[in-house]
Coordinates of all heavy atoms in Angstrom, one line a residue:
M1 N 0.8 -1.3 0.0 CA 0.0 0.0 0.0 C 0.9 1.3 0.0 O 2.0 1.2 0.5 CB -0.9 -0.1 1.2 CG -0.4 0.7 2.4 SD -1.5 0.4 3.9 CE -1.2 2.0 4.7
R2 N 0.4 2.3 -0.6 CA 1.2 3.5 -0.7 C 0.3 4.6 -0.7 O -0.9 4.5 -1.2 CB 2.1 3.6 -1.8 CG 1.4 3.5 -3.2 CD 2.4 3.7 -4.3 NE 1.7 3.5 -5.6 CZ 1.2 4.5 -6.3 NH1 1.1 5.8 -5.7 NH2 0.7 4.4 -7.5
P3 N 0.7 5.8 -0.3 CA -0.2 7.0 -0.4 C -0.6 7.3 -1.9 O 0.3 7.0 -2.8 CB 0.6 8.2 0.1 CG 1.7 7.5 0.9 CD 1.9 6.1 0.3
A4 N -1.7 7.7 -2.2 CA -2.1 7.9 -3.6 C -2.8 9.2 -3.7 O -3.5 9.7 -2.8 CB -3.1 6.9 -4.0
S5 N -2.4 10.0 -4.8 CA -3.2 11.1 -5.1 C -3.5 11.0 -6.6 O -2.6 10.6 -7.3 CB -2.4 12.3 -4.8 OG -1.2 12.4 -5.5
N6 N -4.6 11.4 -7.0 CA -5.0 11.3 -8.3 C -5.8 12.5 -8.8 O -6.7 13.0 -8.2 CB -5.9 10.0 -8.4 CG -6.1 9.5 -9.9 OD1 -5.9 10.4 -10.7 ND2 -6.3 8.3 -10.0
L7 N -5.4 13.0 -9.9 CA -6.2 14.3 -10.3 C -7.2 14.0 -11.3 O -7.8 14.9 -11.7 CB -5.1 15.2 -10.9 CG -3.9 15.8 -9.9 CD1 -3.0 16.7 -10.6 CD2 -4.6 16.5 -8.8
K8 N -7.3 12.7 -11.7 CA -8.3 12.4 -12.7 C -9.6 12.5 -12.0 O -9.8 12.1 -10.9 CB -8.1 11.0 -13.3 CG -6.9 11.0 -14.4 CD -6.9 9.6 -15.0 CE -6.5 8.5 -14.0 NZ -6.3 7.3 -14.7
P9 N -10.7 13.0 -12.8 CA -12.1 13.0 -12.2 C -12.7 11.7 -12.3 O -13.5 11.4 -13.1 CB -12.7 14.1 -13.0 CG -12.0 13.9 -14.4 CD -10.6 13.5 -14.0
A10 N -12.3 10.7 -11.3 CA -12.9 9.5 -11.3 C -13.2 9.1 -9.8 O -12.7 9.7 -8.9 CB -11.8 8.4 -11.8
T11 N -14.1 8.2 -9.9 CA -14.6 7.8 -8.4 C -14.2 6.3 -8.3 O -14.2 5.5 -9.4 CB -16.0 7.9 -8.1 OG1 -16.8 7.3 -9.2 CG2 -16.3 9.4 -8.1
Y12 N -13.9 5.8 -7.2 CA -13.5 4.5 -7.0 C -14.4 3.9 -5.9 O -14.9 4.6 -5.1 CB -12.0 4.3 -6.6 CG -11.1 4.8 -7.6 CD1 -10.7 6.3 -7.4 CD2 -10.7 4.1 -8.7 CE1 -9.8 6.7 -8.3 CE2 -9.8 4.7 -9.5 CZ -9.4 6.0 -9.4 OH -8.5 6.6 -10.3
R13 N -14.5 2.6 -5.8 CA -15.2 1.9 -4.7 C -14.4 1.3 -3.7 O -13.4 0.5 -4.1 CB -16.2 0.9 -5.4 CG -17.3 0.3 -4.4 CD -18.1 -0.8 -5.0 NE -19.0 -0.3 -6.1 CZ -20.2 0.2 -5.8 NH1 -20.6 0.2 -4.6 NH2 -20.9 0.6 -6.8
C14 N -14.5 1.6 -2.6 CA -13.7 1.2 -1.5 C -14.0 -0.3 -1.3 O -15.2 -0.7 -1.0 CB -14.0 2.0 -0.2 SG -13.0 1.3 1.2
P15 N -13.0 -1.2 -1.3 CA -13.2 -2.6 -1.1 C -13.5 -3.0 0.3 O -13.9 -4.1 0.5 CB -11.9 -3.2 -1.6 CG -10.8 -2.2 -1.3 CD -11.5 -0.9 -1.6
F16 N -13.3 -2.1 1.2 CA -13.6 -2.5 2.6 C -15.0 -2.1 3.0 O -15.7 -2.9 3.7 CB -12.7 -1.7 3.6 CG -11.2 -2.0 3.3 CD1 -10.4 -1.2 2.6 CD2 -10.7 -3.3 3.9 CE1 -9.0 -1.6 2.5 CE2 -9.5 -3.7 3.7 CZ -8.6 -2.8 3.0
C17 N -15.6 -1.0 2.6 CA -16.9 -0.6 3.0 C -17.9 -0.6 1.9 O -19.0 -0.6 2.1 CB -17.0 0.8 3.7 SG -16.5 2.1 2.5
G18 N -17.4 -0.8 0.6 CA -18.2 -0.8 -0.5 C -18.8 0.5 -1.0 O -19.6 0.5 -2.0
K19 N -18.4 1.5 -0.4 CA -19.0 2.9 -0.7 C -17.9 3.5 -1.8 O -16.8 3.3 -1.8 CB -19.1 3.7 0.5 CG -20.2 3.3 1.5 CD -20.3 4.1 2.6 CE -21.2 3.5 3.7 NZ -21.1 4.3 4.9
H20 N -18.5 4.4 -2.5 CA -17.6 5.2 -3.4 C -16.8 6.1 -2.7 O -17.1 6.5 -1.6 CB -18.5 6.0 -4.4 CG -19.1 5.1 -5.4 ND1 -18.5 4.6 -6.5 CD2 -20.5 4.6 -5.5 CE1 -19.4 3.7 -7.1 NE2 -20.6 3.8 -6.5
L21 N -15.7 6.5 -3.3 CA -14.8 7.5 -2.7 C -14.4 8.5 -3.8 O -14.2 8.0 -5.0 CB -13.7 6.9 -1.9 CG -12.7 6.0 -2.6 CD1 -11.5 6.8 -3.5 CD2 -12.0 5.0 -1.7
A22 N -14.2 9.7 -3.5 CA -13.9 10.7 -4.5 C -12.4 10.6 -4.7 O -11.6 10.4 -3.7 CB -14.3 12.1 -4.1
S23 N -11.9 10.7 -5.9 CA -10.5 10.5 -6.2 C -9.7 11.6 -5.5 O -8.5 11.5 -5.3 CB -10.2 10.5 -7.6 OG -10.7 11.7 -8.3
M24 N -10.3 12.7 -5.3 CA -9.5 13.9 -4.7 C -9.4 13.8 -3.2 O -8.6 14.4 -2.5 CB -10.3 15.2 -5.0 CG -10.4 15.5 -6.5 SD -8.9 15.7 -7.3 CE -8.4 17.4 -6.7
S25 N -10.2 13.0 -2.6 CA -10.1 12.8 -1.2 C -9.0 11.9 -0.8 O -8.4 11.2 -1.5 CB -11.4 12.2 -0.7 OG -11.6 10.9 -1.1
E26 N -8.6 12.0 0.5 CA -7.5 11.2 0.9 C -7.8 9.8 0.9 O -8.8 9.3 1.5 CB -7.1 11.7 2.4 CG -5.9 11.1 2.8 CD -5.5 11.6 4.2 OE1 -6.4 11.7 5.1 OE2 -4.3 11.9 4.5
H27 N -7.0 9.1 0.2 CA -7.2 7.6 0.3 C -5.8 6.9 -0.2 O -4.8 7.6 -0.4 CB -8.3 7.2 -0.8 CG -7.9 7.5 -2.3 ND1 -7.9 8.8 -2.8 CD2 -7.4 6.7 -3.2 CE1 -7.5 8.7 -4.1 NE2 -7.2 7.4 -4.3
V28 N -5.9 5.7 -0.2 CA -4.6 4.9 -0.3 C -4.8 3.9 -1.5 O -5.9 3.4 -1.7 CB -4.0 4.3 0.9 CG1 -3.6 5.3 1.9 CG2 -5.1 3.3 1.5
L29 N -3.8 3.4 -2.1 CA -3.8 2.3 -3.1 C -3.3 1.1 -2.4 O -2.3 1.1 -1.7 CB -2.9 2.6 -4.3 CG -3.4 3.4 -5.5 CD1 -2.3 3.5 -6.5 CD2 -4.6 2.6 -6.1
I30 N -4.2 0.1 -2.5 CA -3.6 -1.3 -2.0 C -3.6 -2.2 -3.2 O -4.3 -2.1 -4.1 CB -4.5 -1.8 -0.9 CG1 -6.0 -1.9 -1.4 CG2 -4.5 -0.9 0.3 CD1 -6.9 -2.7 -0.6
A31 N -2.7 -3.2 -3.1 CA -2.5 -4.1 -4.2 C -1.9 -5.4 -3.8 O -0.9 -5.3 -3.0 CB -1.6 -3.5 -5.4
P32 N -2.4 -6.5 -4.3 CA -1.7 -7.8 -3.9 C -0.3 -7.7 -4.5 O 0.0 -7.2 -5.7 CB -2.6 -8.8 -4.6 CG -3.8 -8.2 -5.1 CD -3.5 -6.7 -5.1
E33 N 0.7 -8.4 -3.8 CA 2.1 -8.3 -4.2 C 2.2 -9.0 -5.6 O 3.1 -8.6 -6.3 CB 3.0 -9.0 -3.3 CG 3.3 -8.2 -2.0 CD 4.1 -6.9 -2.5 OE1 5.0 -7.0 -3.3 OE2 3.8 -5.8 -1.9
D34 N 1.4 -10.0 -5.9 CA 1.6 -10.7 -7.0 C 0.8 -10.2 -8.3 O 0.8 -10.8 -9.4 CB 1.3 -12.2 -6.8 CG -0.2 -12.4 -6.4 OD1 -0.8 -11.3 -6.0 OD2 -0.6 -13.5 -6.3
D35 N 0.0 -9.2 -8.1 CA -0.7 -8.7 -9.2 C -1.1 -7.2 -9.1 O -2.1 -6.9 -8.5 CB -2.0 -9.5 -9.4 CG -2.8 -9.2 -10.8 OD1 -2.3 -8.2 -11.4 OD2 -3.6 -9.9 -11.0
R36 N -0.2 -6.4 -9.7 CA -0.4 -5.1 -9.6 C -1.7 -4.4 -10.2 O -2.1 -3.3 -9.9 CB 0.8 -4.2 -10.0 CG 2.1 -4.5 -9.2 CD 2.2 -3.6 -8.1 NE 3.3 -4.1 -7.3 CZ 3.4 -3.5 -6.0 NH1 2.6 -2.7 -5.5 NH2 4.3 -4.0 -5.2
S37 N -2.2 -5.3 -11.2 CA -3.3 -4.8 -11.9 C -4.6 -4.8 -11.0 O -5.6 -4.3 -11.4 CB -3.6 -5.7 -13.2 OG -3.9 -7.0 -12.7
K38 N -4.4 -5.5 -10.0 CA -5.6 -5.7 -9.1 C -5.6 -4.6 -7.9 O -6.4 -4.7 -7.0 CB -5.7 -7.1 -8.4 CG -6.0 -8.1 -9.4 CD -6.1 -9.5 -8.6 CE -6.3 -10.6 -9.6 NZ -6.1 -11.9 -9.0
R39 N -4.9 -3.5 -8.2 CA -4.9 -2.5 -7.2 C -6.2 -2.0 -6.9 O -7.0 -1.8 -7.8 CB -3.8 -1.5 -7.4 CG -4.2 -0.7 -8.7 CD -3.1 0.3 -9.0 NE -3.5 1.2 -10.1 CZ -2.7 2.1 -10.7 NH1 -1.5 2.3 -10.2 NH2 -3.1 2.8 -11.6
R40 N -6.4 -1.5 -5.8 CA -7.8 -0.9 -5.4 C -7.5 0.4 -4.6 O -6.6 0.5 -3.9 CB -8.5 -1.9 -4.5 CG -8.9 -3.1 -5.2 CD -10.2 -2.8 -6.1 NE -10.6 -4.0 -6.8 CZ -10.1 -4.6 -7.9 NH1 -9.2 -3.9 -8.5 NH2 -10.6 -5.6 -8.4
H41 N -8.4 1.3 -4.8 CA -8.3 2.5 -4.0 C -9.2 2.3 -2.7 O -10.4 1.8 -2.9 CB -8.9 3.7 -4.8 CG -8.0 4.0 -6.0 ND1 -7.1 5.0 -6.1 CD2 -7.9 3.4 -7.2 CE1 -6.6 5.1 -7.2 NE2 -6.9 4.1 -7.9
A42 N -8.8 2.8 -1.7 CA -9.6 2.5 -0.4 C -9.6 3.7 0.5 O -8.6 4.5 0.4 CB -9.2 1.3 0.3
H43 N -10.6 3.8 1.3 CA -10.5 5.0 2.2 C -9.4 4.8 3.2 O -9.2 3.7 3.7 CB -11.9 5.0 3.1 CG -13.1 5.3 2.2 ND1 -14.1 4.4 2.1 CD2 -13.5 6.4 1.6 CE1 -15.0 5.0 1.3 NE2 -14.7 6.3 1.0
M44 N -8.8 5.9 3.5 CA -7.7 5.9 4.6 C -8.2 5.3 5.8 O -7.6 4.4 6.5 CB -7.2 7.3 4.8 CG -5.9 7.4 5.6 SD -4.5 6.8 4.7 CE -4.2 8.3 3.8
D45 N -9.4 5.7 6.3 CA -9.9 5.3 7.5 C -10.2 3.7 7.4 O -9.9 3.0 8.4 CB -11.3 6.0 7.9 CG -11.0 7.4 8.3 OD1 -9.9 7.8 8.5 OD2 -12.0 8.1 8.3
C46 N -10.7 3.3 6.3 CA -11.0 1.8 6.2 C -9.7 1.0 6.2 O -9.7 0.0 6.8 CB -11.8 1.6 5.0 SG -13.5 2.2 4.9
V47 N -8.7 1.5 5.6 CA -7.4 0.8 5.5 C -6.8 0.7 6.9 O -6.3 -0.3 7.4 CB -6.5 1.5 4.5 CG1 -5.0 1.0 4.7 CG2 -6.9 1.3 3.1
Q48 N -6.9 1.9 7.6 CA -6.4 1.9 9.0 C -7.1 1.0 9.9 O -6.5 0.3 10.7 CB -6.4 3.3 9.6 CG -5.3 4.2 8.9 CD -5.3 5.7 9.4 OE1 -6.4 6.0 10.0 NE2 -4.3 6.4 9.1
R49 N -8.4 0.9 9.7 CA -9.2 -0.1 10.6 C -8.8 -1.6 10.2 O -8.6 -2.4 11.0 CB -10.7 0.1 10.2 CG -11.6 -0.1 11.4 CD -13.1 0.4 11.1 NE -13.0 1.8 10.7 CZ -13.8 2.2 9.8 NH1 -14.6 1.5 9.1 NH2 -13.9 3.5 9.5
A50 N -8.5 -1.8 8.9 CA -8.2 -3.1 8.5 C -6.7 -3.5 9.1 O -6.5 -4.6 9.5 CB -8.1 -3.3 7.0
R51 N -5.9 -2.5 9.0 CA -4.5 -2.5 9.5 C -4.5 -3.0 11.0 O -3.8 -3.8 11.5 CB -3.7 -1.3 9.3 CG -3.4 -1.0 8.0 CD -2.0 -1.4 7.5 NE -1.0 -0.9 8.3 CZ -0.1 -1.8 8.8 NH1 -0.1 -3.0 8.6 NH2 0.8 -1.2 9.7
Q52 N -5.4 -2.3 11.8 CA -5.6 -2.5 13.2 C -6.1 -3.9 13.4 O -5.7 -4.5 14.4 CB -6.4 -1.4 13.8 CG -5.7 0.0 13.9 CD -6.6 1.0 14.2 OE1 -7.8 0.9 14.5 NE2 -6.2 2.3 14.1
A53 N -6.8 -4.4 12.5 CA -7.4 -5.8 12.7 C -6.5 -6.8 12.2 O -6.7 -7.9 12.2 CB -8.8 -5.9 12.0
G54 N -5.3 -6.4 11.7 CA -4.2 -7.2 11.3 C -4.6 -7.9 9.9 O -3.9 -8.9 9.5
R55 N -5.5 -7.3 9.1 CA -5.8 -7.9 7.8 C -5.1 -7.4 6.7 O -5.2 -7.8 5.5 CB -7.4 -7.7 7.7 CG -8.1 -8.6 8.6 CD -9.6 -8.7 8.1 NE -10.3 -7.3 8.4 CZ -10.8 -6.6 7.5 NH1 -10.9 -7.0 6.3 NH2 -11.5 -5.5 7.9
L56 N -4.3 -6.4 6.9 CA -3.6 -5.8 5.6 C -2.2 -5.4 6.0 O -1.8 -4.3 6.4 CB -4.4 -4.5 5.3 CG -3.9 -3.9 4.0 CD1 -4.3 -4.7 2.8 CD2 -4.6 -2.5 3.8
P57 N -1.2 -6.3 5.8 CA 0.1 -6.1 6.0 C 0.7 -5.1 5.0 O 0.3 -5.0 4.0 CB 0.8 -7.5 5.8 CG -0.1 -8.2 4.8 CD -1.5 -7.6 5.1
T58 N 1.6 -4.3 5.5 CA 2.4 -3.4 4.7 C 3.3 -4.2 3.7 O 3.5 -5.4 4.0 CB 3.1 -2.3 5.4 OG1 4.2 -2.9 6.1 CG2 2.3 -1.5 6.3
R59 N 3.8 -3.6 2.7 CA 4.8 -4.3 1.9 C 5.9 -4.9 2.7 O 6.3 -6.0 2.4 CB 5.2 -3.4 0.8 CG 6.3 -4.0 -0.1 CD 6.8 -3.0 -1.2 NE 7.9 -3.4 -1.9 CZ 7.9 -4.3 -2.8 NH1 6.7 -4.8 -3.2 NH2 9.0 -4.8 -3.4
D60 N 6.5 -4.1 3.6 CA 7.6 -4.5 4.3 C 7.2 -5.7 5.2 O 7.9 -6.7 5.4 CB 8.1 -3.4 5.2 CG 9.0 -2.3 4.3 OD1 9.3 -2.8 3.2 OD2 9.2 -1.3 4.9
E61 N 6.1 -5.7 5.8 CA 5.6 -6.7 6.7 C 5.3 -7.9 5.9 O 5.7 -9.1 6.3 CB 4.4 -6.3 7.4 CG 4.5 -5.3 8.6 CD 3.2 -4.7 9.0 OE1 2.2 -5.0 8.4 OE2 3.3 -3.8 9.9
W62 N 4.8 -7.8 4.7 CA 4.5 -9.0 3.9 C 5.8 -9.6 3.4 O 5.9 -10.9 3.4 CB 3.7 -8.5 2.6 CG 3.3 -9.6 1.8 CD1 2.1 -10.2 1.9 CD2 4.0 -10.2 0.6 NE1 2.0 -11.3 0.9 CE2 3.2 -11.1 0.1 CE3 5.2 -9.8 0.0 CZ2 3.5 -11.9 -1.0 CZ3 5.5 -10.6 -1.0 CH2 4.8 -11.6 -1.6
L63 N 6.8 -8.8 3.0 CA 8.0 -9.3 2.6 C 8.7 -10.1 3.8 O 9.3 -11.1 3.5 CB 9.0 -8.2 2.1 CG 8.6 -7.7 0.7 CD1 9.5 -6.5 0.4 CD2 8.8 -8.7 -0.3
A64 N 8.6 -9.5 5.0 CA 9.3 -10.2 6.1 C 8.6 -11.5 6.4 O 9.3 -12.5 6.7 CB 9.2 -9.3 7.3
A65 N 7.4 -11.6 6.2 CA 6.6 -12.8 6.5 C 6.8 -13.9 5.4 O 6.6 -15.1 5.7 CB 5.0 -12.4 6.6
T66 N 7.1 -13.5 4.3 CA 7.3 -14.5 3.2 C 8.6 -14.7 2.7 O 8.9 -15.4 1.8 CB 6.4 -14.1 2.0 OG1 6.9 -12.7 1.6 CG2 5.0 -13.9 2.3
R67 N 9.6 -14.0 3.5 CA 11.0 -14.2 3.0 C 11.5 -15.6 3.2 O 11.1 -16.3 4.1 CB 11.9 -13.3 3.9 CG 13.3 -13.2 3.4 CD 14.0 -12.0 3.9 NE 13.4 -10.8 3.2 CZ 13.3 -9.6 3.8 NH1 13.7 -9.4 5.1 NH2 12.8 -8.6 3.2
G68 N 12.2 -16.2 2.3 CA 12.6 -17.5 2.3 C 12.8 -18.0 0.9 O 13.0 -17.1 0.1
P69 N 12.9 -19.3 0.7 CA 13.2 -19.8 -0.7 C 12.1 -19.2 -1.6 O 10.9 -19.3 -1.3 CB 13.0 -21.2 -0.5 CG 13.2 -21.5 1.0 CD 12.6 -20.3 1.7
R70 N 12.5 -18.7 -2.6 CA 11.7 -18.1 -3.6 C 11.8 -18.8 -4.9 O 12.8 -19.3 -5.2 CB 12.0 -16.6 -3.9 CG 11.8 -15.7 -2.6 CD 12.1 -14.2 -3.0 NE 11.0 -13.7 -3.8 CZ 10.2 -12.9 -3.3 NH1 10.2 -12.4 -2.0 NH2 9.3 -12.4 -4.0
P71 N 10.8 -18.8 -5.7 CA 10.8 -19.5 -7.1 C 12.0 -18.7 -7.8 O 12.1 -17.6 -7.6 CB 9.5 -19.2 -7.7 CG 8.6 -18.8 -6.6 CD 9.4 -18.2 -5.4
S72 N 12.5 -19.6 -8.7 CA 13.6 -18.9 -9.6 C 12.9 -17.9 -10.5 O 11.7 -17.9 -10.7 CB 14.1 -20.0 -10.5 OG 13.2 -20.4 -11.5
L73 N 13.7 -17.0 -11.0 CA 13.2 -15.9 -11.9 C 12.4 -16.5 -13.1 O 11.5 -16.0 -13.6 CB 14.3 -15.1 -12.4 CG 14.0 -13.9 -13.3 CD1 13.1 -13.0 -12.6 CD2 15.2 -13.2 -13.8
G74 N 13.0 -17.6 -13.7 CA 12.4 -18.3 -14.8 C 11.0 -18.8 -14.5 O 10.0 -18.6 -15.2
A75 N 10.9 -19.5 -13.3 CA 9.6 -19.9 -12.9 C 8.5 -18.8 -12.7 O 7.4 -18.9 -13.1 CB 9.7 -20.7 -11.6
R76 N 9.1 -17.7 -12.2 CA 8.2 -16.6 -11.9 C 7.7 -16.0 -13.3 O 6.6 -15.5 -13.4 CB 8.9 -15.5 -11.1 CG 8.9 -15.9 -9.5 CD 10.0 -15.2 -8.8 NE 9.8 -13.8 -8.8 CZ 10.7 -12.9 -8.4 NH1 11.8 -13.2 -8.0 NH2 10.4 -11.7 -8.4
L77 N 8.7 -15.9 -14.2 CA 8.3 -15.3 -15.5 C 7.3 -16.2 -16.2 O 6.5 -15.7 -16.9 CB 9.6 -15.1 -16.4 CG 10.4 -13.9 -15.9 CD1 11.7 -13.9 -16.7 CD2 9.7 -12.6 -16.0
R78 N 7.5 -17.6 -16.1 CA 6.6 -18.4 -16.8 C 5.2 -18.3 -16.2 O 4.2 -18.3 -16.9 CB 7.1 -19.8 -16.6 CG 8.1 -20.3 -17.6 CD 8.4 -21.8 -17.6 NE 9.0 -22.3 -16.4 CZ 10.3 -22.2 -16.2 NH1 11.1 -21.7 -17.1 NH2 10.8 -22.7 -15.0
G79 N 5.1 -18.0 -14.9 CA 3.9 -17.8 -14.3 C 3.2 -16.5 -14.8 O 2.0 -16.4 -14.8
L80 N 4.0 -15.6 -15.2 CA 3.4 -14.3 -15.7 C 3.0 -14.5 -17.2 O 2.2 -13.7 -17.7 CB 4.5 -13.2 -15.6 CG 4.8 -12.7 -14.2 CD1 5.9 -11.7 -14.2 CD2 3.6 -12.1 -13.5
L81 N 3.6 -15.5 -17.8 CA 3.4 -15.6 -19.3 C 2.9 -17.1 -19.5 O 3.6 -17.7 -20.1 CB 4.7 -15.2 -20.1 CG 5.2 -13.9 -19.9 CD1 6.7 -13.8 -20.5 CD2 4.3 -12.9 -20.5
P82 N 1.7 -17.4 -19.1 CA 1.3 -18.8 -19.3 C 1.2 -19.1 -20.8 O 0.8 -18.4 -21.6 CB -0.1 -18.7 -18.6 CG -0.5 -17.3 -18.6 CD 0.7 -16.5 -18.6
G83 N 1.7 -20.3 -21.0 CA 1.6 -20.8 -22.4 C 2.8 -20.4 -23.3 O 2.8 -20.8 -24.4
R84 N 3.6 -19.6 -22.8 CA 4.7 -19.2 -23.6 C 6.0 -19.7 -23.1 O 6.3 -19.7 -21.8 CB 4.9 -17.7 -23.7 CG 3.8 -17.0 -24.6 CD 4.1 -15.5 -24.7 NE 5.4 -15.2 -25.2 CZ 5.9 -14.0 -25.4 NH1 5.2 -13.0 -25.0 NH2 7.1 -13.8 -25.9
R85 N 6.8 -20.2 -23.9 CA 8.2 -20.8 -23.5 C 9.2 -19.7 -23.7 O 9.3 -19.0 -24.7 CB 8.5 -22.0 -24.3 CG 7.7 -23.2 -24.1 CD 8.0 -24.3 -25.0 NE 9.4 -24.6 -25.0 CZ 10.0 -25.7 -24.6 NH1 9.2 -26.7 -24.1 NH2 11.3 -26.0 -24.5
L86 N 10.0 -19.5 -22.6 CA 11.0 -18.4 -22.7 C 12.3 -18.8 -23.4 O 13.1 -17.9 -23.7 CB 11.4 -18.0 -21.2 CG 10.1 -17.4 -20.5 CD1 10.5 -17.0 -19.0 CD2 9.7 -16.1 -21.2
D87 N 12.5 -20.1 -23.6 CA 13.7 -20.6 -24.2 C 13.6 -20.7 -25.7 O 14.5 -21.3 -26.3 CB 14.1 -21.9 -23.5 CG 13.1 -23.0 -23.5 OD1 12.0 -22.7 -24.0 OD2 13.4 -24.0 -23.1
E88 N 12.6 -20.2 -26.2 CA 12.4 -20.3 -27.8 C 12.9 -19.1 -28.4 O 12.9 -18.1 -27.8 CB 10.9 -20.5 -28.1 CG 10.5 -21.9 -27.8 CD 9.0 -22.0 -28.1 OE1 8.2 -21.0 -28.3 OE2 8.5 -23.1 -28.2
Ligands
LIG101 ZN1 -14.2 2.6 2.9

């Protein structure tokens, strides 16, 4: 998650409370580590509530919790490009 500011006149739906939020209002971007395209805009208050409930680790906390043997770069790339062989 990171602070977000957006000047585009768009509204987003907060994944925590389900209500719309104005892009100009204070909010944050959250995204699963494995898929940046699934990022969501959420109310700052809702995120803080989720954080206090332990449901939303920060990037640093997530990395610390998952540090360890990681898939090879090739395996990770194959996961991103299903059906394509990288050695062709
Ligand atoms: Zn909300």
Side-chain angles (χ1 to χ4, degrees):
M1 94 186 210
R2 64 176 174 85
S5 60
N6 196 332
L7 297 179
K8 285 187 297 184
T11 55
Y12 303 94
R13 189 181 291 273
C14 172
F16 295 104
C17 67
K19 294 176 185 168
H20 289 286
L21 55 86
S23 60
M24 299 297 286
S25 65
E26 188 177 39
H27 65 281
V28 295
L29 266 179
I30 58 174
E33 280 297 317
D34 58 347
D35 191 347
R36 295 275 168 191
S37 69
K38 287 180 183 170
R39 68 185 185 179
R40 292 286 182 270
H41 297 258
H43 294 114
M44 187 75 79
D45 287 350
C46 293
V47 170
Q48 285 175 348
R49 217 170 298 140
R51 294 263 305 128
Q52 284 162 9
R55 289 190 288 123
L56 187 69
T58 64
R59 175 180 170 80
D60 285 346
E61 289 167 354
W62 186 88
L63 286 175
T66 58
R67 190 158 291 148
R70 299 182 70 106
S72 70
L73 181 60
R76 285 158 64 192
L77 288 175
R78 278 193 293 278
L80 291 172
L81 301 169
R84 285 186 57 185
R85 291 175 54 115
L86 295 176
D87 54 355
E88 285 177 345

